[in-house]
Amino acid sequence: EAGVTQFPSHSVIEKGQTVTLRCDPISGHDNLYWYRRVMGKEIKFLLHFVKESKQDESGMPNNRFLAERTGGTYSTLKVQPAELEDSGVYFCASSQGGRKGIQYFGAGTRLSVL
Amino acid sequence: DQQVKQNSPSLSVQEGRISILNCDYTNSMFDYFLWYKKYPAEGPTFLISISSIKDKNEDGRFTVFLNKSAKHLSLHIVPSQPGDSAVYFCAASDYSNSGYALNFGKGTSLLVTP
């Protein structure tokens, strides 16, 4: 069974540009999460989808970030326009069942904003 | 404000000995705790969890202890093996919110030497 897949694995963009990250969850997982780890800091929650609905977006830093999950399958996270402080590793995770379902993480997308 | 703290950035242990990784938390609403393990260039992998109604959970070489009064948990690995060398993250979820978002510590890098 395929795990959580993220691409690209690495993206280098200039400040002011737009970047879109993609996440394919484990098939059948209704819950999908985005997290971010800025260098030297902890992994921080961004948002949680249940199927195509945003259940909790309390961790989204500002309105330059837009997450979507069309049809309740894959998800995209767009940053527009990117700022220097957006650099970090963006992780996607998916789970099934309730809140204690194991969250399975992808390998992450390393975003470098120059 | 960081609610989950791992105060030891690194730990070195000899193969065959016990590894003890510590984690403290401040939010009394946390009721579910997890440990994740992360290798370089990979996403975090679930290791073991514990609910606040328990004070110990064991899975093979891994045991997690929870001391609610001290708001402290620890992960014991016995015996430690070189393949256990990785970064270990403590995480917790808050039932008073949606309960799905994981709050992570900054991680402890474990090195097991032969």
Side-chain angles (χ1 to χ4, degrees):
Chain A
E1 181 183 318
V4 176
T5 306
Q6 293 185 246
F7 28 89
S9 57
H10 193 183
S11 180
V12 181
I13 61 171
E14 292 190 351
K15 176 183 169 181
Q17 290 187 321
T18 297
V19 63
T20 300
L21 314 181
R22 174 170 168 145
C23 170
D24 286 73
I26 294 172
S27 177
H29 282 194
D30 286 341
N31 297 297
L32 187 149
Y33 314 82
W34 284 97
Y35 291 85
R36 175 174 76 170
R37 188 183 189 196
V38 172
M39 186 174 297
K41 305 251 179 155
E42 70 275 20
I43 300 170
K44 285 197 124 173
F45 168 80
L46 297 179
L47 87 160
H48 167 217
F49 283 99
V50 177
K51 297 184 180 177
E52 68 277 5
S53 300
K54 290 177 188 172
Q55 192 75 13
D56 179 0
E57 50 185 330
S58 61
M60 293 289 264
N62 52 61
N63 58 11
R64 295 186 293 103
F65 289 75
L66 175 64
E68 295 179 322
R69 191 180 182 193
T70 308
T73 54
Y74 71 92
S75 174
T76 58
L77 180 65
K78 181 192 283 189
V79 184
Q80 179 183 31
E83 298 289 344
L84 300 178
E85 64 265 24
D86 300 333
S87 296
V89 181
Y90 290 76
F91 292 105
C92 175
S94 71
S95 71
Q96 58 184 1
R99 58 179 285 249
K100 295 185 180 178
I102 296 171
Q103 294 186 25
Y104 295 89
F105 282 76
T109 294
R110 180 174 295 278
L111 176 63
S112 301
V113 183
L114 307 179
Chain B
D1 62 332
Q2 201 177 342
Q3 301 181 74
V4 177
K5 297 178 183 178
Q6 294 177 256
N7 293 318
S8 299
S10 62
L11 176 67
S12 183
V13 170
Q14 275 193 317
E15 181 178 7
R17 307 292 289 267
I18 183 172
S19 295
I20 299 177
L21 296 98
N22 294 303
C23 177
D24 297 292
Y25 62 95
T26 58
N27 187 343
S28 58
M29 300 298 189
F30 287 155
D31 70 334
Y32 185 58
F33 304 88
L34 310 90
W35 285 92
Y36 275 81
K37 174 180 177 179
K38 184 183 179 307
Y39 293 116
E42 294 184 10
T45 303
F46 172 76
L47 198 54
I48 192 169
S49 63
I50 187 167
S51 293
S52 59
I53 59 172
K54 294 186 172 182
D55 54 20
K56 177 182 173 181
N57 189 26
E58 199 169 345
D59 183 1
R61 296 186 297 114
F62 302 91
T63 302
V64 56
F65 295 92
L66 176 62
N67 182 333
K68 288 186 292 294
S69 61
K71 293 192 174 69
H72 177 84
L73 64 158
S74 61
L75 174 69
H76 292 208
I77 306 174
V78 184
S80 301
Q81 299 173 354
D84 295 330
S85 298
V87 178
Y88 289 78
F89 292 96
C90 174
S93 69
D94 176 352
Y95 73 88
S96 67
N97 287 329
S98 74
Y100 284 81
L102 295 181
N103 298 269
F104 283 88
K106 287 187 179 181
T108 296
S109 179
L110 173 66
L111 176 64
V112 180
T113 57

